[in-house]
Amino acid sequence: MSDQELVAYSTEGDVAVLTINNPPVNALSPGVPEGIRDGVAKAAADDAIKAVVVIGGGRTFIAGADIKEFGKITSGQKEPDIGFNEILNDVESCDKPVVAAIHGTALGGGLETAMACHYRVAVPDAMVGQPEVKLGIIPGAGGTQRLPRLCGVAKAAEICASGRMVKAKEALDSGIVDKLVDGDLLEGAIEFAREQAATGESPRRTRDIQDRFGNEAEYKMMLQGIRQECAKRARGMQAPQRNVDAVELAPQLPFMEGLEKEAEIFKECLFSDESKAMIHVFFGERTVAKVPGIGKETPRLEIKQAAVIGAGTMGGGIAMNYANAGIPVLLKETEHERLDKGVAIIRKNYESTVAKGKLTEEKMEQRMSLIKPTTSYDGFENADIIVEAVFENMALKKQVFGEIDEIAKDDCILASNTSTLDIDEIAAATKRPASVIGHHFFSPANIMPLIEIVRGKETSDTVIATSMDLAKGLRKTGVLVGNCFGFVGNRMFEQYQRQAQFLIEEGATIEHVDKVMYDWGMAMGPLAVADLAGIDVGIRVHQENVDQIPDGYRTALVGQKLFDMGRYGQKTGAGWYKYEGRTPVSDPEINQLVIDTAREAGIEQREIGDQEILERCLYSLVNEGAKLLEEGIALRSVDIDMIYIMGYGFPAFRGGPMKAADIIGLKEVYDRVCHYNDQYGQWWEPAPLLKQLAESDATFTQYDMQRAK
Ligand code: 3HC
Ligand code: NAI
């Protein structure tokens, strides 16, 4: 495609219109910035032209730099492009007014382009923002220097450090946008451009604006608050702080020097591990939606009525998801008392959202009215999907699937929320295994954004495609996985939990193990997580799957003792920790229990360092992940990463366990796995895929790319 086509030049009387045509989101791929510069230059040289409008073709203005190009730069395939700043400076230097006409979104380099134009008009539902921080970087084309000149230092720092989208009205009120256009955007922009030209004054250049920075003492205090907030919200990340650093320079330095400093920080961030991880996550979020063999042409079923069986912890949350999406849902329990309890919890959850001002009373009642509590199967014959969320017990699940097989309509999807059990065995309890699938939600199901969608060996493409779309409709991310004990997430989690427990039995304290993993970035340490999920849940899973453990293999001992003591975790006020409300407090009794248990079992207790804790917890995840990948249970390593980030509190800025391993280097990871295998054997047998990639100096990401070909 020629540059001309990427940015089309046309005229409307005395106004030049530059239309960007780089679908789907008009990213600033090579040729687009140059096309804008050439268009502006052409307009500047034409005496018949009085002003210029820059507008996006298709559904949006400009979504920013082409993120795919960043990987090429950091991997050395391409030189960093410093020309974009010069191009924007050329645009800003034009003597005729240049107006950006914004619809959809103006993000990152898109907003930077708009700010290099002299004026900005937008439709009321447009949004602008500097989301670079979500890619582990800062704006690199003047965003940190021009934005504070428009909306003040404090506001600019907050926008850049959060990466949030700013609605058009707020952008207008804060000076980022000059006018909202209610009718046709192009017409409105042309009219505005003509008005500016008619004033006869030189166009207003953002770089020259000096009177909007705000009061220094005030913004300094606000920046401190923003930094503190970032340190909490984005614990372990450097990009939010670097965004504030760069914005803070705007009032201190002449514009061109500010740009230079911005470029330095941008480069530092771009080459950081954090940025590699975050860019991996950006594409990962989109990749998981793509399932080989399933396309637009795969038929989908319509989901207009849902039913959920079991109104316990999970069933209630799942029903809320359907109600939130406007889909009526039947909610079945065995008896009225449990049903009432389940419904009361749902109401309480909604009420707390109302109390936070995030939902109106009216909407809450609407949603409650979509949930129909019942103790019978009446109405199930009309359901398009039935989701089973009864106890984790194979016999019970089979009984329930046998029952629904009798009453569900022919094309109804039969989904199980099992967290570990064999989907094929459950499907075999029906006469329609092609309709059976796992929909593994995460607790709390009304909040956690992930659904592991488990494909049985006979699950039909239609049922898979509908499930993936449905996940999106429920505002979740669906990740398709294969069928095995624990699927992807919980099979890996077992290894992680096992190592955490082994470590304390060998001498690390509970608090130390949790602290190392928390400080590394996990939302919670492994033992605090076990308390949250329920010690009983973990132990029951063990009991149900005990035959999965090879003979003679070491098993964790203390967890079983906690279970026997009724210490189920947060729900009973005590587990690995004691709880004051939801705050964990160390419990000397359990620390002693660990020591006594180790002594009885003949496990020698020793000093264990941070590095060993990190390695054994992290590499046990990676090694199991590699096995899942090789077995085809996980489609791609990035699917595993997204499951861990969205379902298990794994830090996005580490990219997920597999990307974290790539960044550390697979050779190093493999060597340490071998080391632990030599030391302990059993659970540490290296995954053949890990060995193969390590020995060929490759990465999991390269393995994904290779297989996609
Ligand atoms: N670069 C490359 N590809 C991009 C892209 C970008 N900036 N933005 C979106 N895409 C791709 C997506 O990967 C996706 O590709 P696929 O169909 O092959 O999976 C396709 O465009 C459509 O994107 P979405 O599915 O995300 O479409 P939505 O309509 O849901 O969302 C959006 C649109 C809000 C624009 C969203 O895509 C988005 O947030 N994009 C990223 C915006 C961003 O981070 N911009 C800053 C870039 S960094 C920068 O500009 C640096 C500068 O300071 C120099
Ligand atoms: P729960 O014990 O809170 O709720 C199960 C409910 O099912 C109970 O209220 C019970 O009365 C009801 N029930 C049992 N038999 C029934 C029947 N025949 N008809 C109707 N209702 C029946 O259990 P929870 O935690 O909600 O787990 C449910 C399923 O979700 C399990 O398979 C579990 O493995 C899975 N899961 C649990 C997660 C968790 O964190 N709790 C996370 C992800 C999945």
Side-chain angles (χ1 to χ4, degrees), residues 1 5 34 49 55 100-101 174 266 311 352 374 401 431 463 523 527 552 613 655 673 677:
M1 192 184 270
E5 286 169 310
E34 293 80 359
I49 295 297
I55 191 164
S174 54
F266 174 81
S352 94
T374 174
F401 272 76
K431 294 183 284 303
V463 168
L527 300 156
I613 293 174
V673 169
N677 192 36

Side-chain angles (χ1 to χ4, degrees), residues 70-349:
F70 292 152
K72 294 184 194 158
I73 296 170
T74 51
S75 62
Q77 291 170 49
K78 199 187 145 187
E79 282 296 307
D81 183 9
I82 46 163
F84 187 35
N85 261 331
E86 282 168 23
I87 289 176
L88 293 186
N89 290 342
D90 286 351
V91 169
E92 196 174 39
S93 298
C94 179
D95 288 330
K96 297 175 184 175
V98 182
V99 177
I102 304 170
H103 72 301
T105 51
L107 298 176
L111 179 56
E112 289 171 306
T113 304
M115 291 191 295
C117 296
H118 305 123
Y119 308 96
R120 288 146 296 282
V121 300
V123 291
D125 64 355
M127 299 213 262
V128 304
Q130 298 285 175
E132 286 87 344
V133 68
K134 296 184 179 165
L135 303 170
I137 55 175
I138 69 162
T144 65
Q145 303 304 298
R146 287 197 177 91
L147 191 58
R149 285 174 160 80
L150 290 176
C151 68
V153 175
K155 180 120 195 151
E158 180 268 311
I159 290 172
C160 291
S162 67
R164 75 181 170 95
M165 299 237 206
V166 178
K167 290 186 179 155
K169 173 75 171 58
E170 185 186 345
L172 177 74
D173 293 344
S174 54
I176 303 170
V177 159
D178 297 290
K179 189 178 177 195
L180 298 190
V181 174
D182 274 321
D184 183 81
L185 176 63
L186 183 58
E187 271 175 30
I190 290 173
E191 193 186 317
F192 183 87
R194 281 202 183 110
E195 282 165 19
Q196 295 307 321
T199 64
E201 289 170 19
S202 303
R204 182 196 64 198
R205 298 190 171 92
T206 309
R207 66 175 168 219
D208 295 335
I209 301 176
Q210 292 289 333
D211 57 355
R212 299 193 193 174
F213 288 130
N215 174 285
E216 187 175 341
E218 274 174 29
Y219 74 62
K220 285 219 145 132
M221 215 168 70
M222 288 169 89
L223 294 193
Q224 206 183 348
I226 294 169
R227 286 186 192 282
Q228 282 166 356
E229 208 267 319
C230 290
K232 229 166 62 192
R233 179 182 45 79
R235 184 169 52 87
M237 280 187 70
Q238 57 148 348
Q241 306 288 349
R242 301 314 313 266
N243 271 276
V244 181
D245 293 346
V247 171
E248 197 173 2
L249 293 172
Q252 295 168 18
L253 297 176
F255 180 72
M256 291 308 283
E257 278 181 44
L259 278 192
E260 272 172 38
K261 277 278 173 207
E262 181 193 74
E264 271 173 37
I265 303 176
F266 174 81
K267 201 169 159 202
E268 275 169 37
C269 289
L270 184 63
F271 281 85
S272 68
D273 290 344
E274 179 177 315
S275 171
K276 284 181 199 139
M278 299 292 281
I279 290 175
H280 171 76
V281 172
F282 174 83
F283 287 115
E285 281 169 354
R286 286 149 183 88
T287 303
V288 292
K290 294 171 188 143
V291 177
I294 306 257
K296 286 201 178 81
E297 68 295 345
T298 311
R300 267 69 169 175
L301 298 163
E302 233 189 313
I303 306 292
K304 287 192 296 200
Q305 171 72 54
V308 174
I309 306 179
T313 311
M314 296 305 290
I318 295 169
M320 286 175 78
N321 286 317
Y322 281 97
N324 296 347
I327 302 172
V329 54
L330 294 156
L331 180 60
K332 179 183 179 291
E333 255 298 340
T334 43
E335 52 188 62
H336 284 288
E337 201 180 314
R338 285 182 185 229
L339 190 58
D340 292 346
K341 194 173 153 211
V343 172
I345 292 171
I346 293 175
R347 180 168 281 281
K348 209 172 121 218
N349 281 337

Side-chain angles (χ1 to χ4, degrees), residues 661-663 665-667 689-703 706:
D662 275 355
I663 289 172
L666 294 193
K667 180 153 185 347
L689 178 63
L690 178 61
K691 178 173 193 282
Q692 179 202 319
L693 295 177
E695 286 176 350
S696 52
D697 209 13
T699 61
F700 288 118
T701 302
Q702 284 167 341
Y703 177 76
Q706 204 64 38

